[in-house]
Amino acid sequence: MSAGVHVPEDLVLVGYVSGAFGIQGWVRIRPYSADADAMLSAKDWWIDRPELQEISRLEAKIHGEDVVARLKGVADRNAAEALKGATVKISRKHFPPLAEGEFYWIDLVGLEVRNLAGESLGVVRDLMDNGAHPILRVAAPDVPEAELHKHEKLIPFVEHFVKQVDQAARSIQVDWGTDY
């Protein structure tokens, strides 16, 4: 990264460049969320290829499950292909405001999960979407990522099971047993 460039502290990883789109320098981005509103509203993205740098987004639109975008300084297919694999981050200030009771997934990761009996089930390590609703992937914080699938509890993020989310206390209360 160039000396003297200010990198915002609130950058959030929102996707990665999966390749070129067309021949005029557009890139295809695979977003990490089904809702790419933040990517479409942010005029400046941070891309880590060749090093973390701010790039102006000139145009962007949804294309199937991806976002396709034209970026300043990316003039042809070769330049777009050179960005393949780069991560895309945007400043948190570009995220649309949420309604009461809604959460960005990134805000749930790391929260402690306790059941109604007060027993710790672990922390939210990740979330996944099964098509009907999000699912919390909960495990002890010291479980290695490669072992997560063996030790995690998969808890549907629905009102029936999730009783309270307290971001200030960094906790989630669920109606879920330790032996589920």
Side-chain angles (χ1 to χ4, degrees):
M1 183 141 127
S2 302
V5 174
H6 172 71
V7 178
E9 292 182 19
D10 67 344
L11 291 181
V12 176
L13 181 63
V14 293
Y16 68 93
V17 178
S18 61
F21 179 77
I23 60 171
Q24 296 179 344
W26 287 63
V27 292
R28 178 183 301 272
I29 294 108
R30 176 59 47 108
Y32 289 132
S33 169
D35 183 357
D37 286 352
M39 289 180 71
L40 297 176
S41 67
K43 294 288 184 198
D44 296 309
W45 293 357
W46 290 82
I47 296 183
D48 68 350
R49 186 78 40 99
E51 59 188 0
L52 188 62
Q53 60 183 312
E54 186 175 26
I55 294 183
S56 295
R57 177 193 56 78
L58 301 174
E59 294 180 67
K61 60 186 175 184
I62 301 292
H63 186 77
E65 293 183 356
D66 294 334
V67 171
V68 293
R70 191 167 63 92
L71 305 173
K72 185 174 183 178
V74 182
D76 59 28
R77 185 172 182 87
N78 290 339
E81 279 293 338
L83 293 175
K84 186 175 182 177
T87 61
V88 178
K89 298 178 181 182
I90 63 170
S91 172
R92 178 62 185 257
K93 69 183 177 191
H94 295 297
F95 281 48
L98 295 173
E100 181 71 27
E102 291 184 346
F103 306 93
Y104 284 112
W105 285 12
I106 190 87
D107 296 332
L108 300 176
V109 173
L111 298 186
E112 182 180 14
V113 179
R114 292 191 167 273
N115 63 18
L116 296 175
E119 300 166 308
S120 178
L121 302 177
V123 298
V124 178
R125 298 285 298 270
D126 197 3
L127 286 96
M128 61 185 193
D129 192 342
N130 74 352
H133 51 74
I135 297 175
L136 300 172
R137 297 179 68 194
V138 178
D142 59 348
V143 172
E145 192 67 31
E147 300 284 317
L148 189 58
H149 67 281
K150 295 179 186 176
H151 303 282
E152 70 186 349
K153 291 177 178 20
L154 300 176
I155 304 173
F157 193 72
V158 295
E159 189 175 336
H160 182 78
F161 298 114
V162 177
K163 300 305 179 186
Q164 181 182 22
V165 175
D166 186 341
Q167 288 183 292
R170 304 213 25 87
S171 67
I172 298 175
Q173 183 183 49
V174 296
D175 185 1
W176 202 261
T178 57
D179 57 346
Y180 292 2

